[in-house]
Amino acid sequence: MDVPDDPRIAIDGGTRVLVVTGAGISAESGLATFRGAGGLWEGQRVEDVATPEGFATDPGLVWRFYSARRAAALAAQPNPAHLALAAVEGRLEDRFLLVTQNVDGLHRRAGSRRLIEIHGSLFRTRCSRCDLPPFADESLHESGAPGCERCAARGRRADLRPDIVWFGELLDSDHLRRVEAFAEEGPGERLVFVAVGTSGNVWPVAGFVDLAAAVGGETWLVNLEPAHNDWRFDRIVRGAAGEVLPVLLGVVG
Ligand code: BV8
């Protein structure tokens, strides 16, 4: 299960790389992890701020929570782990895919484009009621939920909400299909799966390692602490993503 001190993943012309990241990859950028604060997330209970029921009960609280995270993410910078993944994408092109559970936008700011933000984005807003297309939004709403103008024009009140997948909500089926397709493509090529900075608690992303294992892929976990789904991985590298990933992926050193 464990690997030598300065492991490297062999990446050549026949290698495909599928990466999943979680809150831990942004920790060195100064952003709080989901479970780092002992189950409270920025002082809030998950049920109150990351579920549709919590939003229906107190949309103003949810907007204060996400506005604080929007501000923190805007002030943060991508770290060497984000940059290493963008560099590997540049080398592998369509033999690389990055799936992030994070909504902080740091992978995109690091240059990643073959990227699926599978839990949505802090910087997109949509209507909680009508089919108003999600729109780019960096604004902060600390004194109550903004209303949907399209609904108002139709004589009804509806709150805008962050374009984020909350607990109990379905992930985009196109995203799931794209991940499955990437894991199964490239017969004869070698698939390497790397999970970075995730406790493996949240489904269905926690099960993506099994997609790779099912096609004979080599699975790696880079995490600071033991993860819930540790046992599902071939190799585990304990350490900080910003230090481990550039070496592991052969980007530096
Ligand atoms: C769904 C919103 C259909 C965005 C989030 C199967 C079994 C059990 C439960 C379920 C299941 N299937 C579905 C569920 C229900 C639920 C779920 O998984 N519950 C769990 C918690 C029990 N899943 C859902 O509801 C999903 N929808 O499946 O719909 C359905 C519905 C109900 C029932 C059945 C089916 C929707 C999930 C999406 C939820 N939205 N976030 C936001 O506001 O951020 S999830 C939230 O957790 C964040 O996105 C976060 O990224 C994510 C996962 O957490 P991690 O990223 O792993 O973060 P965490 O803090 O936990 O871990 C960080 C790790 O990094 C730590 O281990 C730490 O050691 C490490 N670390 C720290 N620093 C560093 C580091 N590592 C390296 N370097 C460092 N420097």
Side-chain angles (χ1 to χ4, degrees):
M1 286 281 271
D2 284 320
V3 288
D5 291 347
D6 65 340
R8 284 167 186 263
I9 296 178
I11 296 177
D12 59 25
T15 310
R16 303 165 60 74
V17 176
L18 174 59
V19 180
V20 164
T21 63
I25 201 170
S26 296
E28 290 155 273
S29 297
L31 297 183
T33 62
F34 180 64
R35 287 168 189 79
L40 280 182
W41 197 9
E42 305 276 2
Q44 299 294 347
R45 290 180 343 120
V46 171
E47 297 75 19
D48 297 338
V49 293
T51 62
E53 296 78 12
F55 183 73
T57 303
D58 189 346
L61 169 67
V62 173
W63 269 109
R64 284 193 297 280
F65 172 70
Y66 281 101
S67 295
R69 291 180 63 206
R70 261 185 188 173
L74 282 171
Q77 294 301 323
N79 68 54
H82 297 106
L83 297 170
L85 292 174
V88 172
E89 175 184 322
R91 277 173 30 206
L92 295 182
E93 296 179 342
D94 63 357
R95 288 184 287 120
F96 179 89
L97 183 62
L98 170 57
V99 181
T100 188
Q101 299 173 95
N102 300 340
V103 295
D104 57 34
L106 290 180
H107 283 302
R108 200 169 293 283
R109 285 172 54 196
S112 290
R113 289 301 176 267
R114 287 184 55 80
L115 169 65
I116 299 179
E117 293 174 314
I118 204 158
H119 289 166
S121 169
L122 272 175
F123 302 106
R124 273 197 317 271
T125 294
R126 63 180 169 87
C127 178
S128 60
R129 183 168 177 182
C130 77
D131 57 357
L132 176 79
F135 58 93
D137 182 14
E138 293 185 357
S139 56
L140 306 182
H141 303 284
E142 278 123 356
S143 54
C148 171
E149 288 177 8
R150 180 190 275 195
C151 287
R154 293 170 178 166
R156 60 190 189 202
R157 165 85 178 124
D159 291 326
L160 295 177
R161 60 166 279 181
D163 188 26
I164 276 178
V165 181
W166 283 327
F167 288 98
E169 295 187 322
L170 293 171
L171 277 64
D172 182 326
S173 52
D174 289 340
H175 286 166
L176 297 174
R177 263 195 296 277
R178 199 173 151 202
V179 175
E180 288 159 6
F182 184 85
E184 291 162 7
E185 281 163 6
E189 290 179 323
R190 170 174 152 268
L191 177 67
V192 174
F193 178 91
V194 189
V196 187
T198 180
S199 62
N201 270 299
V202 175
W203 291 79
V205 174
F208 284 2
V209 54
D210 296 338
L211 292 176
V215 295
E218 180 184 310
T219 57
W220 294 71
L221 172 63
V222 176
N223 213 54
L224 206 56
E225 302 150 338
H228 198 78
N229 61 350
D230 253 354
W231 57 277
R232 294 174 186 265
F233 289 85
D234 299 322
R235 294 174 175 79
I236 294 177
V237 184
R238 284 272 175 270
E243 293 163 22
V244 167
L245 219 47
V247 175
L248 187 71
L249 297 173
V251 172
V252 290

